[in-house]
Amino acid sequence: SVVFGQDQTYYEALFGKALGELSAEETQRRYVTSFILWTNYDIEEAYVERISANYLLAFVMERLGIQTSAYQKYLMELYEKVPAMNLYGYYDTQGRFYTWDQVGEVTSVLNEYRILQYNNLFDKKHQLKGFFE
């Protein structure tokens, strides 16, 4: 009998194997969440196949017609090349999943993104102030 209130038991029943046996792609599927953007005025309807949390604010602001920063514009351009990423890896535009240690067509783009993240979060002395605001 399966007790679905326990996280580990639920996922082992769902995937049909122990959590330690899951591939990186299967493991990251545990963190998928659906979302709905609801407004009290008309906006263009759209279905989003895949998006990660790092893009969500820029995505919402763009859909609502709110002015975005240069960084948020950059994120939406990155989204066109790498629609989703998380702790375990990233998806390309063809829906293929890569772990972070695998080299793919977008590796150089992701390295640029890492540099920008570092600059925004940690390099306060040399931070590109106007870019992130």
Side-chain angles (χ1 to χ4, degrees):
S1 140
V2 176
V3 178
F4 288 107
Q6 298 176 357
D7 183 55
Q8 183 172 340
T9 304
Y10 169 77
Y11 284 110
E12 288 178 350
L14 182 67
F15 288 105
K17 54 185 159 182
L19 292 182
E21 297 172 4
L22 297 178
S23 69
E25 184 173 10
E26 290 169 329
T27 298
Q28 68 83 32
R29 281 192 214 145
R30 295 176 56 200
Y31 303 97
V32 172
T33 303
S34 299
F35 76 95
I36 295 174
L37 174 60
W38 185 272
T39 66
N40 59 357
Y41 56 91
D42 285 339
I43 62 172
E44 185 178 337
E45 292 182 20
Y47 172 77
V48 178
E49 174 77 25
R50 187 173 280 123
I51 192 169
S52 51
N54 61 313
Y55 300 123
L56 206 49
L57 178 61
F59 176 82
V60 168
M61 290 179 68
E62 183 180 84
R63 292 293 187 265
L64 296 178
I66 299 171
Q67 184 176 359
T68 57
S69 69
Y71 179 63
Q72 290 166 327
K73 288 175 185 164
Y74 166 82
L75 286 176
M76 293 314 297
E77 290 173 13
L78 180 61
Y79 170 74
E80 296 298 324
K81 299 171 188 162
V82 186
M85 60 182 82
N86 61 30
L87 176 65
Y88 300 102
Y90 63 92
Y91 282 93
D92 68 10
T93 57
Q94 307 303 311
R96 294 179 295 239
F97 181 78
Y98 295 86
T99 59
W100 288 112
D101 59 344
Q102 292 175 303
V103 176
E105 295 176 14
V106 294
T107 300
S108 63
V109 172
L110 290 170
N111 286 336
E112 178 183 83
Y113 179 53
R114 286 184 186 116
I115 291 168
L116 283 173
Q117 285 180 309
Y118 180 86
N119 181 258
N120 187 30
L121 297 171
F122 304 110
D123 192 8
K124 299 304 179 189
K125 184 176 179 182
H126 301 102
Q127 186 182 53
L128 304 169
K129 299 266 186 226
F131 185 71
F132 298 103
E133 298 170 355

